[in-house]
Amino acid sequence: MIDKNWVLQLFSHLECGRPEVFFESVADDVIWEVTGTHPLAGVYTTKLDFISGTIAKLNEVLESPLRLKVLSCLLDGSVAAVELIADSTTKSGSAFNNRYCWVCEFESHKLVKVRAYLDSALVSKTLS
């Protein structure tokens, strides 16, 4: 069974610039749905597809690699709803302060399913 402190510790790696440590706890065959109507939206069926289809594309246009800070975390059994914010700047100098809510399902301390909600308009503007 996971607990809130474990989830917060896991997500802290995204804020500290160590996403590779976070992704060690993501299943290789994770189902990651990125909601919305923007270039990154869709369902990714592997960890590598998610990283290359979303984070890598954002990092191409950001001044520094994406970092996500946890704002809140609600836990119900093996499901966590984690609210995050990106406090980033694009290479062109625009703010990229996207807010996210990831609904995460865990099995044996591995993230196996995520539904990610975010500001579609900001993503579209940033990637255009």
Side-chain angles (χ1 to χ4, degrees):
M1 179 68 67
I2 62 169
D3 64 33
K4 186 174 180 178
N5 287 334
W6 182 83
V7 173
L8 291 172
Q9 177 63 33
L10 174 63
F11 276 83
S12 73
H13 299 295
L14 296 176
E15 182 177 358
C16 297
R18 296 188 317 262
E20 67 283 354
V21 179
F22 171 85
F23 280 104
E24 288 174 5
S25 292
V26 175
D28 290 337
D29 60 349
V30 66
I31 305 297
W32 203 305
E33 178 184 359
V34 179
T35 63
T37 54
H38 54 84
L40 306 182
V43 177
Y44 300 88
T45 56
T46 71
K47 175 174 29 179
L48 293 177
D49 284 346
F50 171 73
I51 293 169
S52 64
T54 60
I55 295 172
K57 289 181 179 179
L58 280 174
N59 284 343
E60 289 176 7
V61 299
L62 295 178
E63 190 64 39
S64 58
L66 182 67
R67 290 188 183 205
L68 299 173
K69 178 181 180 181
V70 173
L71 298 176
S72 68
C73 175
L74 300 173
L75 186 65
D76 184 13
S78 62
V79 177
V82 183
E83 185 182 12
L84 306 139
I85 188 166
D87 186 15
S88 302
T89 304
T90 66
K91 290 179 180 175
S92 65
S94 299
F96 184 77
N97 302 114
N98 210 334
R99 283 188 172 244
Y100 303 85
C101 182
W102 292 357
V103 179
C104 306
E105 296 180 30
F106 294 89
E107 290 178 9
S108 301
H109 287 83
K110 284 282 189 180
L111 188 51
V112 296
K113 189 172 183 182
V114 180
R115 278 184 321 281
Y117 301 91
L118 55 127
D119 183 343
S120 290
L122 180 57
V123 171
S124 293
K125 177 184 168 187
T126 300
L127 294 175
S128 63

